[in-house]
Amino acid sequence: MAMERSYIMIKPDGVQRGLVGEIISRFEKRGYKLAAMKLKQADEDLLKEHYRDLASKPFFPKLMGYMLSGPVVCMCWEGKDVVAQGRKMLGATNPLESAPGTIRGDFSLDVGRNICHGSDSVDSGKRESELWFSPAEIVDNESALKDWIYE
Ligand code: DAT
Ligand code: MG
């Protein structure tokens, strides 16, 4: 199976609100495999690179302030269709448009406090994983549950 990766990040509000376990649990229970994880206080340079496509948006300064306001949990999840499925699990960018049952739809209300990030394409899953993690931090282990999750 081709290995697909998504960079999933719990934003400062998700960490402060005690939602780290809940969010990890949803990805674990779905069957995805954790390949990397750390708690990190991001800096401006890293966030500017991460959100480089949004630099000209009017909300960019507020987004930077939000993302710098506390530590984030950085994760790399692997598995079948994880990028698209991860986006569905997160819900819409604006929590008011997120379906109940999604992470944003269950736990948030404002777009500027939407709890979590998920890569929006397979290319950005790779780019963001490599931006936030060094090669040594991404662990290549085979899950013992593999044959119970994939046919
Ligand atoms: P997503 O995080 O769903 O991929 P995005 O990449 O377009 O959405 O934007 C990144 C973050 O920027 C988003 O999670 C919250 C913030 N943001 C996006 N659109 C916004 C808006 N119209 N007003 C305020 N913040 C916004
Ligand atoms: Mg995005």
Side-chain angles (χ1 to χ4, degrees), residues 18-33:
L19 295 170
V20 172
E22 169 75 33
I23 294 168
I24 292 174
S25 182
R26 290 184 180 212
F27 280 85
E28 278 183 329
K29 287 176 187 163
R30 185 75 194 274
Y32 289 121
K33 192 184 77 173

Side-chain angles (χ1 to χ4, degrees), residues 4-148:
E4 186 172 311
R5 249 176 213 161
S6 187
Y7 175 68
I8 302 289
M9 172 164 59
I10 307 174
K11 296 178 177 181
D13 50 339
V15 174
Q16 295 299 332
R17 291 178 55 198
L19 295 170
V20 172
E22 169 75 33
I23 294 168
I24 292 174
S25 182
R26 290 184 180 212
F27 280 85
E28 278 183 329
K29 287 176 187 163
R30 185 75 194 274
Y32 289 121
K33 192 184 77 173
L34 188 61
M37 181 166 72
K38 64 186 170 189
L39 181 73
K40 183 179 174 74
Q41 174 62 55
D43 62 33
E44 217 170 309
D45 286 348
L46 181 57
L47 287 166
K48 278 186 177 154
E49 182 56 28
H50 175 76
Y51 282 130
R52 65 184 183 187
D53 296 343
L54 302 176
S56 62
K57 300 282 185 194
F59 59 80
F60 190 73
K62 263 172 59 174
L63 175 61
M64 291 293 287
Y66 163 46
M67 294 302 296
L68 287 166
S69 67
V72 296
V73 171
C74 313
M75 296 178 286
C76 184
W77 287 91
E78 285 180 359
K80 193 176 199 174
D81 202 33
V82 65
V83 170
Q85 297 303 317
R87 295 282 292 186
K88 285 189 191 170
M89 290 163 71
L90 261 56
T93 303
N94 181 348
L96 295 185
E97 289 161 14
S98 298
T102 63
I103 294 165
R104 288 164 172 169
D106 284 349
F107 302 116
S108 64
L109 294 168
D110 270 355
V111 69
R113 297 287 185 274
N114 66 0
I115 291 182
C116 47
H117 165 85
S119 304
D120 64 5
S121 69
V122 174
D123 278 355
S124 61
K126 179 171 156 45
R127 180 184 87 86
E128 293 168 0
S129 296
E130 290 170 1
L131 175 66
W132 289 85
F133 291 105
S134 68
E137 288 177 315
I138 302 178
V139 179
D140 189 20
N141 78 311
E142 191 176 281
S143 168
L145 294 179
K146 180 172 60 71
D147 293 339
W148 296 107

